[in-house]
Amino acid sequence: MFEAFFVALSSVWSDSGFSALTSGHVIMIAVGLVLLYMAIGKGFEPLLLSPIAFGCILANIPKNGFEEPGVMSVIMYGIHHEVFPPLIFLGVGAMTDFGPLLANPKTLLLGAAAQGGVFVALLGAMLLGFSVQEAAAIGIIGGADGPTSIYLAAKMAPQLLGAIAVAAYSYMSLVPLIQPPIMKLFTTEADRKIVMQQLRPVSHFEKVAFPIMCTIVISLLLPSVTALIGMLMLGNLFKEAGCLDRLSDTAQNALMNTVTIMLATGTGLTMSAESFLNAKTLLIIVLGLVAFVAGTAAGVIFGKLMCIADGGKTNPLIGSAGVSAVPMAARVSQKVGQKANPANFLLMHAMGPNVAGVIGTAVAAGTMLAMIGPVGK
């Protein structure tokens, strides 16, 4: 009787995850717990970081059976086959107002300038021994756009997807901490006090025509990012059309929330100990920070040049919003500007380069795909 009991107990143990638990699994579960603390305890991007952290914990439970057909395999399919990023862009588009960009088109240049960090990190990654495809996927972290980072990593460096996604979302959540010192470093007190003129009203026709024309032009120029740009602009068309409120509401709320859960959890599922605990991951985290800092600095410096060119009408602080973390980066520009001058209201002005940064990061990704090609080519 006791022998049968011990045989059964031994069988339960051998089938349990404890029997296959390694130090790597323990470390990654601890990482997941830390990320949960940052998300829930400290409020750093909780809607994204919480499912990422929980997915990380799930991925490091030995013998979890996730490789078998089921909901987890479906989630991973959506990650590795670029299903979720375009759907996220549909929701982002439905929540985005391109009015400030249309009212002040020159802020598109600030969004483009802020992509400088992407290419700084790309060169740095190549110097550190990453392949050109891996370097391109790492560089896009500088755009501070999680879905685009995942989209490009899935195509160019799927083995690095977890580290790249975590770096991108982590730096997005740390925008209020990272950006202000850089903004102050490259501007004077007088620069930060500049009050910008009120933006002109944007017509309904302009708002409807913009997503249509933007889709056609960018997709013809860079067909590889048609899915991202097309869904972003389709969502925006839902918002601006005036007769598609139900579709806009679905894209902004029900669909966006559902896909966010899938995308973030799937990102966490890529963070297995086997693929995450290596020297490359640490280098990616460092390079991601370099990309983000360089992108912020490039945007502010270009804003300073624009200020000089237009005789002091542009507050250089809005250039930092070009890194694409919508709308957090624009809010940081507003906060830093208002601290220098309580009468300063930069939020709407900063939204121009902020939404331009979303387009700019997608264009940068498409440019890399066109110039370098996806992995295996």
Side-chain angles (χ1 to χ4, degrees):
M1 177 179 176
F2 285 106
E3 183 179 352
F5 174 75
F6 283 119
V7 168
L9 193 62
S10 175
S11 178
V12 170
W13 174 259
S14 63
D15 287 341
S16 74
F18 285 106
S19 65
L21 193 65
T22 66
S23 58
H25 293 138
V26 173
I27 291 171
M28 290 308 299
I29 290 173
V31 168
L33 293 173
V34 170
L35 292 176
L36 274 177
Y37 173 72
M38 289 175 61
I40 299 172
K42 295 297 184 179
F44 290 137
E45 288 287 333
L47 297 181
L48 290 170
L49 214 52
S50 297
I52 288 176
F54 210 82
C56 174
I57 294 172
L58 294 175
N60 289 282
I61 302 297
K63 302 182 180 181
N64 53 31
F66 289 172
E67 67 279 358
E68 300 294 330
V71 66
M72 295 304 181
S73 62
V74 170
I75 290 175
M76 291 309 298
Y77 181 92
I79 293 289
H80 290 295
H81 292 82
E82 306 99 42
V83 175
F84 297 141
L87 290 176
I88 287 286
F89 263 45
L90 180 67
V92 170
M95 294 188 289
T96 299
D97 181 7
F98 286 109
L101 176 61
L102 294 171
N104 191 7
K106 69 181 181 181
T107 56
L108 184 66
L109 299 176
L110 294 172
Q115 305 311 309
V118 172
F119 299 98
V120 168
L122 185 152
L123 293 175
M126 291 181 66
L127 291 174
L128 289 173
F130 288 93
S131 70
V132 65
Q133 281 95 352
E134 290 175 336
I138 293 167
I140 210 69
I141 297 172
D145 189 329
T148 303
S149 297
I150 292 172
Y151 185 85
L152 193 63
K155 286 181 174 292
M156 304 190 82
Q159 72 280 9
L160 303 180
L161 195 152
I164 289 171
V166 170
Y169 280 119
S170 295
Y171 293 131
M172 282 173 63
S173 67
L174 294 174
V175 162
L177 298 179
I178 297 174
Q179 283 199 319
I182 302 167
M183 296 161 72
K184 292 177 182 178
L185 179 64
F186 291 100
T187 58
T188 65
E189 185 73 16
D191 290 333
R192 297 192 288 275
K193 287 182 177 180
I194 293 175
V195 176
M196 297 183 68
Q197 296 178 355
Q198 186 174 354
L199 294 171
R200 70 171 180 84
V202 178
S203 69
H204 179 253
F205 174 79
E206 289 176 282
K207 289 188 174 185
V208 171
F210 178 77
I212 299 171
M213 296 308 301
C214 197
T215 299
I216 294 171
V217 172
I218 295 178
S219 297
L220 287 173
L221 181 64
L222 298 166
S224 59
V225 290
T226 300
L228 287 180
I229 289 295
M231 295 301 270
L232 176 71
M233 295 304 166
L234 177 61
N236 189 247
L237 185 64
F238 289 164
K239 176 182 184 294
E240 303 296 354
C243 57
L244 301 172
D245 291 345
R246 287 174 56 188
L247 299 183
S248 177
D249 179 69
T250 298
Q252 290 183 50
N253 297 293
L255 180 63
M256 185 70 165
N257 292 335
T258 301
V259 178
T260 295
I261 293 171
M262 301 296 181
L263 177 67
T265 304
T267 298
L269 291 176
T270 65
M271 296 171 63
S272 63
E274 295 78 13
S275 62
F276 203 82
L277 290 179
N278 53 63
K280 281 189 173 182
T281 297
L282 181 60
L283 289 176
I284 289 168
I285 299 297
V286 173
L287 286 167
L289 179 59
V290 170
F292 189 72
V293 169
T296 300
V300 175
I301 291 170
F302 197 87
K304 179 81 172 179
L305 295 175
M306 190 176 288
C307 176
I308 295 171
D310 63 18
K313 295 180 181 179
T314 299
N315 189 314
L317 292 177
I318 68 172
S320 65
V323 296
S324 166
V326 181
M328 194 182 303
R331 289 174 181 165
V332 171
S333 297
Q334 160 72 11
K335 184 177 179 180
V336 175
Q338 202 160 46
K339 189 174 182 179
N341 180 358
N344 219 348
F345 296 94
L346 296 176
L347 183 59
M348 292 306 295
H349 296 281
M351 284 303 299
N354 206 189
V355 298
V358 178
I359 300 172
T361 304
V363 168
T367 301
M368 290 178 179
L369 283 168
M371 293 175 63
I372 301 169
V375 66
K377 291 190 178 181

